[in-house]
Amino acid sequence: RLLWRHACHEPLFEKEAQAFRTIAASFADDFIRPYVSDRELRHWGAAMIVDYLYGGICEWLDVGRPRRDAAFAVHLQAGARALVEAWSAGSTTVAQR
């Protein structure tokens, strides 16, 4: 939580926080490449899915209940898949414009 939410606002740690986001987005870009052919859409989507996943986890840590962790993980994964599916379908539409 500190790295994701707070480090980017601290001059001493902002470079490390940005590097972490960049590396995570690069990994996500590689992961969604088979599903999202449009490079620009995929690059944007990679950064967005990282924000979605880490933001969702941080929010769950703040408000979630441990007994519901497994259900939360299922919902988070389903949401991520839905995002990638939407981008996959939109990839050809965006490329045609």
Side-chain angles (χ1 to χ4, degrees):
R1 216 177 299 154
L2 287 173
L3 177 62
W4 196 252
R5 288 190 174 168
H6 304 291
C8 61
H9 303 291
E10 296 292 331
L12 194 58
F13 302 108
E14 65 184 322
K15 286 182 183 178
E16 287 81 1
Q18 186 56 45
F20 180 79
R21 286 177 181 260
T22 300
I23 291 167
S26 177
F27 177 80
D29 190 281
D30 289 342
F31 188 77
I32 66 175
R33 181 173 282 119
Y35 309 101
V36 183
S37 58
D38 183 272
R39 186 176 181 267
E40 186 176 15
L41 180 61
R42 187 179 63 246
H43 182 72
W44 166 82
M48 185 178 160
I49 203 161
V50 168
D51 282 341
Y52 166 77
L53 291 170
Y54 280 97
I57 291 166
C58 287
E59 189 64 26
W60 186 254
L61 291 171
D62 290 342
V63 302
R65 292 179 172 74
R67 65 179 169 75
R68 299 191 66 198
D69 285 352
F72 162 75
V74 168
H75 291 297
L76 190 70
Q77 181 183 24
R81 285 179 187 228
L83 287 171
V84 173
E85 286 178 21
W87 301 330
S88 176
S91 195
T92 53
T93 304
V94 171
Q96 292 172 354
R97 289 184 186 170

